[in-house]
Every structure is written in C-alpha cells, then in structure tokens.
Amino acid sequence: MHVSVVLFTADLRLHDHPPLRAALDASDAVVPFFVRDRAVTAAGFDPPNRRAFLADCLADLDASLRERGGRLVVRSGDLVEEVCRVVTEADADEIHMAAGQTAFAARREERLRRALEADGRRLFVHDTVTVAVPPGTVTPASADHFAVFTPYFRQWDRLVLRPVAPAPRRVRVSEHVAGEALPARGDVTGVSPALAAGGEGAARRRVAAYWRRGLDAYDDTRDALAADATSRFSPHLHFGTLSPVELVHRARRQGGPGADALVRQLAWRDFHRQVLAARPGAARADYRTKRDCWRTRRTAAADIEAWETGRTGYPVIDAAMRQLRHEGWMHNRARLLTASFLAKTLYVDWRIGAAHFLHWLVDGDVANNQLNWQWVAGTGTDTRPNRVLNPVTQAKRYDPDGAYVRRWVPELAGVGAPAVHEPWKLPGPDRAALDYPDPVVELSAGLYRFRQARERAR
C-alpha cells in the first residue's frame, strides 16, 4: 500500500489544502501529522495565547478529519526526528508539506529534506498554501525582491492564482501510527481572558459573517477604533485555518471598494514575506538602518513599563495596550499608534515593542510583526521614515466619540469627547478626581528628541 505523510505546520485546515489534496491523489492512505516542535518552544514562539489557539485548531482539525474517516496524529519533539519516525512506522514513500518563508522554516525544511532523501523518501513542498503569491514570484528587474509595496502590488494583482481546492469528502488514513493526546486550551495558563476561539470551523464562520455584514464597508470603517469593523482574519491566516488564495478569489468575485481593500491587505501580508525571505536578518536587524541610538530597557525602564501596562497617560495608547492583554489581539490602527509612540515618541528600540507584541498577539507572526514594527520605526520599507503619528490627533480622528478609549480605560468612563483624549487639560478638580496618570512625556518633547536623534545619526 502506497502511504504519504501530510505534515501540517501553519496550515491547519482541510479546505484549499494542496499538500493534503496531492497526498490523497497519489496514495492509498495518508498520515495527517502535526509536530509540537520543541525548537519553537525553545525560541519562545509559543506563548500562552498562541498555544491555546493552537490547541483549538488541532482539536478542530482532528474532528474534521474524523468526520471524513481520518484522524490527526500529534507528537512532540524535534520535527525532523518525529517525521522520520512516522515515515518509518507507516512505511511512507513521500511527505507533503507547505512552504514556510522564515529562515527558521527554511533551515528546518532543508534538514528534513536531507534526512528523508538519505532514507530514500521524497519531500514535496507546496508554495501557495500559507501565501497567495510566494516570495520570488514577482521581482523587480534589478533586485531579488521589492522594497516598496506599490510596485509590488501592481505585479502581484495581475497574477492569476491557482484554483481553490475543495475539502476532501473522505480521508483514507494509515492505521499503523499512534500519536499523543491532543493539547487542550484549558491546560494553558496565562491566556488572555477574551482570546477568540481557534480552528477552521470558527474561521469559516467568521468569513461568512463578515461577508454578510462587514466586507462592503471595510474600506470605510476598518480604521474606526470603536467600530471593531476589521475582519479579524489575522489569527486564522497565521495558523492557516483560512487560505489566503481562497480569500483573494472570493474577494475578487465580490468586487467593490471593501473587497479591493481586503485584497490589498492580503497582498501587504505577502509583501512582507517576500522581504523577509530575501533578507532573513530583518527579523532582528534594521532593514534600512538609520544608525539610531535607541533607548533600551535599562535606560527607559519606567517608560517601557508604562507603555506595556497601558499607563502612559495617553488614553488611546493605553486603551490599545489593554486591549492587547485582554484579547490577545489589537486593532490595526491601534497597532500603528502604539508602535509609533514607543519607537518615535519615546524613542525606544523597536525590538522591545516587537517582542512584547509577539508575546501577547495570537496572530504574532515574524514577517508581519517585525517588518510592520520596522515600517513604523522608520528602519523598514516606509518611504517616509521620519513620520511620527500624533496619538491625540489620531484618536480624535479615529475615535471621535471616545467610545474605544472608554471601553478599555474605565478610569475615563465619565469623561466625554474630546476631553477624554486629553484628560490632563481638564479643570483642576475634575483632573484630580481621575485615577489616571499624567503623560509620560509631552508630545513636543518626544518629537524633538526623535528628530534630534535622527539628525545626529545622519
């Protein structure tokens, strides 16, 4: 009997899953397999929120496979060693998996390929599973990747994507391989209280609801902080419970400004992956250095703590940071504001903020997180590296009634707009009655410090 192993990584779904489809077409039976890779844990990339969401995803994937006559095999350890063991136990000829885009994924894939080929097995890597357009597919004439989004998007948007593969009706599995018990969300401590549910079922319900009630208005409402009108697809894209290829096809069929804006966001996600694939060091080092002498955790400890705990004295910043801890997620506009505040107003090393986000965000993703942080810090692909977002101006524009602030900063629940965005300007008795800190820095002072630092570094 011809057996194939389907190695799931960041593609925890059955709909539009090319590796699974290829394995089923080529084999008499498959082994759907997931490894809880100890290297991921050792690197600190499975904090509580993502570990809990992953548990949901694996449970949902196992249930969907069982509905089709299959099951998910889960093991813990070194991914290469565990795959080789399963291949031997199942006497599998080939292994199918999705391509990754990080340096870690590339090294792991190469290790796996060498180990399998040494044993006479074949590894098939499918490159349009976690992205719509793989890195290297579109490139400028004189470089290996695009450093500016707009010309990248022009080429990206002209491509014809592969067709969407339906979920299999039946999954034939090998019965010769055993796994360990599935992890459970309830066993994970330190999880954000309002962390959303994971899994392909939850993802597809989210898509269906958003298509009915949110997509058409997406371009108009996605920056409104209080409206909560973003898609919230990002955790599902990160864990692969949604297919970016399927989303692009659906949005293009729908048409209209909202659908077009969603497609552009999916392209932005692919853009960062092609940057990181070409420049893996950008996960830690400046993509375009400005020779900054950033303040560090040692030199800016109090300011960093205020930012992390939502006690900066700037209500929209504090609201966003508290949302992050409570939900394990943050509104996209709020991510821009909080990142700009830390990196430019406080002039703190962007890596400190990126690490904090990676700890809490359920959609914490190396390409998106690190390169978006660099974009805001002015060391990445932003063509205006010295722009500074004013949190008060932005709050009045994107939270004009103050509803977002009052939702997350209950100390200001009784303060109306626009004063809720500048509580330090309230009359003395009213200000004194609030259990809320003064600003950690005046915006003008922070702007001056940043500009002086960039000027000195030139």
Side-chain angles (χ1 to χ4, degrees):
M1 184 171 67
H2 183 48
V3 178
S4 294
V5 172
V6 182
L7 177 61
F8 289 89
T9 52
D11 51 341
L12 304 177
R13 64 179 186 269
L14 297 186
H15 290 80
D16 194 40
H17 197 283
L20 176 60
R21 175 57 59 187
L24 288 171
D25 288 346
S27 309
D28 300 306
V30 300
V31 180
F33 188 45
F34 181 85
V35 179
R36 300 174 69 186
D37 192 345
R38 67 186 178 206
V40 174
T41 303
F45 285 119
D46 70 336
N49 283 339
R50 291 201 292 282
R51 197 156 64 246
F53 198 89
L54 172 63
D56 288 350
C57 294
L58 295 177
D60 182 272
L61 180 58
D62 180 62
S64 296
L65 286 166
R66 289 180 184 276
E67 289 174 359
R68 294 162 170 82
R71 60 190 172 89
L72 180 66
V73 176
V74 175
R75 292 186 183 177
S76 301
D78 177 79
L79 181 137
V80 174
E81 293 175 1
E82 294 302 326
V83 171
C84 289
R85 287 193 185 100
V86 163
V87 164
T88 300
E89 292 169 18
D91 194 21
D93 304 290
E94 54 192 52
I95 298 85
H96 294 262
M97 67 179 294
Q101 291 81 45
T102 65
F104 170 81
R107 290 192 301 269
R108 189 172 67 174
E109 179 187 311
E110 182 57 29
R111 283 180 57 224
L112 180 59
R113 185 182 301 279
R114 288 199 304 267
L116 292 170
E117 289 180 351
D119 196 33
R121 324 281 181 166
R122 292 181 296 172
L123 176 65
F124 295 91
V125 179
H126 302 258
D127 61 6
T128 56
V129 185
T130 62
V131 294
V133 175
T137 303
V138 294
T139 57
S142 58
D144 60 354
H145 72 288
F146 279 97
V148 178
F149 175 70
T150 299
Y152 171 81
F153 178 65
R154 289 196 193 103
Q155 288 199 32
W156 184 100
D157 200 39
R158 289 198 293 265
L159 294 178
V160 177
L161 304 186
R162 63 166 177 80
V164 175
R169 295 183 179 181
R170 182 162 181 80
V171 178
R172 308 173 301 277
V173 300
S174 171
E175 299 298 331
H176 303 294
V177 179
E180 62 193 45
L182 295 176
R185 173 189 280 234
D187 295 334
V188 184
T189 59
V191 178
S192 292
L195 182 70
E200 185 180 14
R204 298 191 75 80
R205 289 190 294 273
R206 178 71 190 173
V207 170
Y210 196 70
W211 241 253
R212 290 194 304 270
R213 298 191 296 269
L215 181 62
D216 288 344
Y218 178 68
D219 193 39
D220 297 324
T221 60
R222 62 192 173 97
D223 281 321
L225 290 166
D228 192 20
T230 63
S231 70
R232 291 195 182 238
F233 293 163
S234 57
H236 296 290
L237 287 165
H238 175 69
F239 283 91
T241 54
L242 284 179
S243 159
V245 170
E246 183 179 6
L247 286 176
V248 172
H249 276 299
R250 290 190 61 170
R252 284 174 172 170
R253 286 197 303 270
Q254 179 82 5
D260 291 345
L262 179 63
V263 168
R264 192 176 179 87
Q265 290 301 305
L266 292 166
W268 181 255
R269 180 175 179 272
D270 282 1
F271 171 72
H272 278 158
R273 276 158 175 73
Q274 59 98 38
V275 172
L276 190 63
R279 299 291 182 272
R284 288 292 304 164
D286 291 337
Y287 177 76
R288 289 173 174 157
T289 183
K290 297 295 181 290
R291 296 181 292 277
D292 287 289
C293 293
W294 299 108
R295 299 168 75 211
T296 65
R297 193 171 289 277
R298 181 180 62 82
T299 59
D303 285 350
I304 294 169
E305 181 182 11
W307 179 82
E308 289 178 342
T309 58
R311 298 284 291 174
T312 68
Y314 288 95
V316 73
I317 302 300
D318 296 341
M321 297 305 293
R322 296 182 194 190
Q323 180 187 25
L324 173 62
R325 286 183 177 243
H326 188 74
E327 294 189 353
W329 184 88
M330 189 193 292
H331 190 287
N332 182 62
R333 173 58 54 173
R335 298 187 197 204
L336 295 176
L337 298 183
T338 53
S340 176
F341 188 82
L342 184 76
K344 289 178 172 171
T345 303
L346 296 181
Y347 198 56
V348 167
D349 193 329
W350 63 266
R351 282 159 281 242
I352 293 173
H356 185 77
F357 271 29
L358 276 180
H359 176 78
W360 287 99
L361 284 172
V362 66
D363 59 20
D365 176 281
V366 172
N368 282 356
N369 189 68
Q370 308 303 87
L371 292 176
N372 271 317
W373 264 95
Q374 290 214 51
W375 188 89
V376 174
T379 65
T381 61
D382 188 4
T383 55
R384 294 172 55 195
N386 293 328
R387 83 173 89 197
V388 179
L389 298 178
N390 183 308
V392 175
T393 302
Q394 292 273 311
K396 290 178 178 179
R397 179 181 304 167
Y398 297 112
D399 187 30
D401 297 327
Y404 179 74
V405 164
R406 285 189 291 273
R407 181 185 307 159
W408 296 108
V409 187
E411 305 97 299
L412 303 178
V415 182
V420 71
H421 297 305
E422 300 174 280
W424 57 88
K425 291 185 176 180
L426 288 169
D430 294 340
R431 175 67 187 94
L434 297 176
D435 179 23
Y436 187 70
D438 289 327
V440 294
V441 64
E442 290 187 3
L443 295 179
S444 59
L447 181 61
Y448 178 79
R449 174 174 55 197
F450 171 71
R451 287 177 172 170
Q452 286 294 104
R454 282 281 163 95
E455 185 65 27
R456 287 193 299 269
R458 290 179 60 180

